[in-house]
Amino acid sequence: MEEELADIEFLALSTNRVTVLTVLSEGARTRRELADATDASQATIGRILHDFEERSWIERDDGEYVATPTGTLVADGFAEMLDIFEVEAKLRDVVEYLPADALDFDLRNLAAATITVPSQTRPNAPVQRVLDLIRDADDVRVFSHAFNVQSLTVVEERTTTGEQTFQGVFSRNVLDALAEDSRLRRRLASLLETDGADVRICEEEIPLAVTIADDVVHLLLRDENGVLQASVDTDDPAVKQWADETFARYRDAATPLDPGTLEEV
């Protein structure tokens, strides 16, 4: 392993080396073209090419250089590693709140995600983010362990006016929240009377708070005490497919919420 780590270190310690190998993995280039791609001197390019040739990562052909199959393998692998570390750096501050066991997709699919965290001036920023998404959406689906009165308010207002369709699947424990919050009961009762809304209760505990607003998937992240810490949202197709399939699974296992239940709690 030491030899492999030494080669990784050799490549990682020079941006010019990474650039040259990446460019040559895409096709043949002259030394001049490589110098233009890196802004490096001809002497530097010469040393890089010499080092790569010693490792059989590149070969020379009629005055041009091109990556060998193993050179291309190294270039692709290094690019993949860089992508992984880019995602890791992005998620580092929120990873402890990610329900990793329930996220059945590659975390690299969150590379372009928007991460929203509370601040002193905007303590409710993660919730505000999902509210903005809901206001702009024609179709909203939610599977969650809790009601959010602000989200429910926006959904109720837009659904009752015919601007939006809504499907929600919630854990049974949310009925406890209804018993304590008359605003939730009123909003939910109004929503249940709307043709464009379907609300269901799932006996299975839902460990997530996910909103699908058209093509955007939004997750609210809380700590072990239930305190809101961040939100993550993305329109990545793989994450959207995961969310669609997970929503469908919870919906199929749930039963419609009886309006009479709201009178009983």
Side-chain angles (χ1 to χ4, degrees):
M1 182 183 292
E2 289 185 5
E3 183 177 349
E4 289 82 1
L5 290 175
D7 279 336
I8 292 172
E9 182 180 25
F10 159 77
L11 191 57
L13 287 177
S14 170
T15 302
N16 286 332
R17 290 175 190 151
V18 175
T19 301
V20 168
L21 190 59
T22 300
V23 169
L24 293 182
S25 71
E26 297 168 352
R29 298 289 192 276
T30 65
R31 289 180 60 148
R32 171 57 61 188
E33 289 172 329
L34 293 173
D36 291 341
T38 59
D39 287 331
S41 67
Q42 284 292 328
T44 297
I45 294 297
R47 287 193 296 271
I48 291 173
L49 294 174
H50 173 73
D51 290 337
F52 284 178
E53 285 181 304
E54 282 194 335
R55 288 170 171 78
S56 298
W57 289 355
I58 65 170
E59 59 188 7
R60 186 175 182 178
D61 183 17
D62 195 23
E64 293 185 322
Y65 296 86
V66 67
T68 63
T70 53
T72 299
L73 179 65
V74 170
D76 291 346
F78 199 81
E80 183 178 2
M81 184 172 63
L82 287 176
D83 289 342
I84 290 172
F85 276 96
E86 181 180 356
V87 174
E88 187 279 329
K90 187 168 192 173
L91 298 177
R92 186 174 299 171
D93 292 337
V94 301
V95 66
E96 64 180 298
Y97 312 118
L98 284 173
D101 292 343
L103 301 181
D104 190 19
F105 58 83
D106 193 321
L107 289 183
R108 280 174 286 190
N109 292 114
L110 296 178
T114 297
I115 297 178
T116 306
V117 297
S119 66
Q120 288 187 338
T121 56
R122 299 184 68 232
N124 208 33
V127 172
Q128 188 59 53
R129 174 64 178 171
V130 74
L131 294 179
D132 292 341
L133 293 172
I134 290 173
R135 288 191 183 98
D136 292 335
D138 297 322
D139 175 70
V140 173
R141 288 170 292 156
V142 172
F143 54 98
S144 178
H145 50 73
F147 279 119
N148 180 302
V149 67
Q150 294 166 286
S151 297
L152 185 61
T153 298
V154 175
V155 165
E156 186 265 338
E157 292 173 348
R158 298 202 71 227
T159 303
T160 55
T161 58
E163 299 175 274
Q164 187 176 91
T165 58
F166 175 76
Q167 297 178 74
V169 183
F170 301 92
S171 299
R172 176 159 292 279
N173 65 286
V174 303
L175 296 179
D176 296 335
L178 291 174
E180 300 174 359
D181 196 325
S182 60
R183 295 177 303 164
L184 278 175
R185 291 199 301 274
R186 288 195 299 269
R187 289 291 185 184
L188 193 54
S190 174
L191 189 62
L192 291 176
E193 295 175 356
T194 306
D195 292 337
D198 177 38
V199 179
R200 298 179 178 232
I201 297 297
C202 184
E203 297 298 333
E204 178 183 355
E205 179 63 24
I206 301 175
L208 303 155
V210 178
T211 298
I212 309 169
D214 289 338
D215 293 328
V216 179
V217 178
H218 179 280
L219 297 88
L220 282 174
L221 306 181
R222 300 180 183 274
D223 63 20
E224 59 184 10
N225 297 315
V227 178
L228 183 62
Q229 297 292 338
S231 74
V232 177
D233 64 85
T234 180
D235 60 359
D236 179 87
V239 179
K240 175 64 160 48
Q241 180 179 354
W242 163 81
D244 289 343
E245 293 174 352
T246 305
F247 173 83
R249 179 171 65 82
Y250 282 125
R251 179 198 59 205
D252 292 346
T255 56
L257 177 60
D258 183 354
T261 303
L262 302 180
E263 300 175 2
E264 298 173 0
V265 296

